[in-house]
Amino acid sequence: MNTLVRPALSLLAALTLVTGLAYPLAVTGVAQTAFPDQAAGSLVRLGDRPVGSRLLGQPFSEARYFWSRPSATSPMPYNAANSSGANQGPLNPALMEAVKGRIAALKAADPGNTQAIPVDLVTTSASGLDPHISVAAALYQVGRVARVRQLDEAAVRQLVQDHTERPLLGFLGEARVNVLLLNLALDRVAKAQAPAHAA
């Protein structure tokens, strides 16, 4: 019996050290050396204060901000501890009702906007944590944001263009806009122009 147990325990101990300690430490060390920002969670900071991550979406509901994609995570939107989609098929009445409600909210927030509503503004992503919206979804919101903030619409549109991320290698994926980064840039522009409005 000892001839079987001793080698098995030795192998278990060796594999535990290699796969449970040495390998994770090596991978973590390489990641923190070669990709320190990504290894730290791609945090976005406002001064010294972290306000989010480039990789995780967050909800924006005020009319003066660009809105993110809807999120189906529970118990609250964009709950990173519970990544999930709605898992509702295209013929599901609950999905249709949810989409109708989101369309109504978009129209109520910007009644003069007659553009077609981009699909990603009324449907959730598979993860519920998508930090990006399509360029069309951002441009759809330009009029509302500019009006509420009393900013020039062309300047807000340019801000969207400046924060558009191109497809990887020029052809992989779609052009997209990170909502958090766009909204932070919008706050900076509005803050810079605040004295002019006050005068």
Side-chain angles (χ1 to χ4, degrees):
M1 189 69 169
N2 283 342
T3 57
L4 295 174
V5 173
R6 186 174 296 149
L9 291 175
S10 299
L11 185 60
L12 175 64
L15 288 175
T16 299
L17 286 173
V18 171
T19 62
L21 186 63
Y23 178 74
L25 285 175
V27 170
T28 301
V30 169
Q32 290 182 343
T33 302
F35 309 102
D37 182 54
Q38 291 90 333
S42 299
L43 295 179
V44 177
R45 297 181 180 277
L46 199 55
D48 292 333
R49 181 173 57 96
V51 293
S53 167
R54 288 182 182 86
L55 305 177
L56 295 172
Q58 54 185 273
F60 292 93
S61 57
E62 294 179 51
R64 65 194 183 106
Y65 285 114
F66 285 88
W67 294 347
S68 306
R69 250 190 119 149
S71 171
T73 64
S74 62
M76 64 219 171
Y78 288 97
N79 178 9
N82 191 22
S83 173
S84 64
N87 295 328
Q88 295 169 335
L91 300 180
N92 189 318
L95 175 63
M96 294 182 183
E97 285 304 311
V99 168
K100 284 179 186 175
R102 293 167 189 152
I103 290 172
L106 287 165
K107 289 186 174 180
D110 194 5
N113 191 342
T114 58
Q115 300 175 68
I117 298 174
V119 70
D120 55 321
L121 285 180
V122 295
T123 57
T124 63
S125 66
S127 69
L129 304 174
D130 197 341
H132 297 94
I133 54 175
S134 65
V135 178
L139 291 175
Y140 176 86
Q141 301 180 69
V142 163
R144 181 196 78 233
V145 171
R147 185 180 68 253
V148 171
R149 292 212 182 226
Q150 299 180 344
L151 294 172
D152 179 57
E153 195 168 315
V156 177
R157 189 174 291 107
Q158 184 60 51
L159 204 59
V160 170
Q161 296 302 328
D162 293 343
H163 286 81
T164 296
E165 300 174 15
R166 304 296 171 201
L168 184 64
L169 303 176
F171 66 93
L172 291 176
E174 299 289 331
R176 60 206 179 279
V177 179
N178 187 296
V179 180
L180 173 61
L181 299 182
L182 177 59
N183 282 333
L184 289 173
L186 183 63
D187 278 344
R188 286 193 297 271
V189 168
K191 186 176 181 181
Q193 294 191 8
H197 287 308

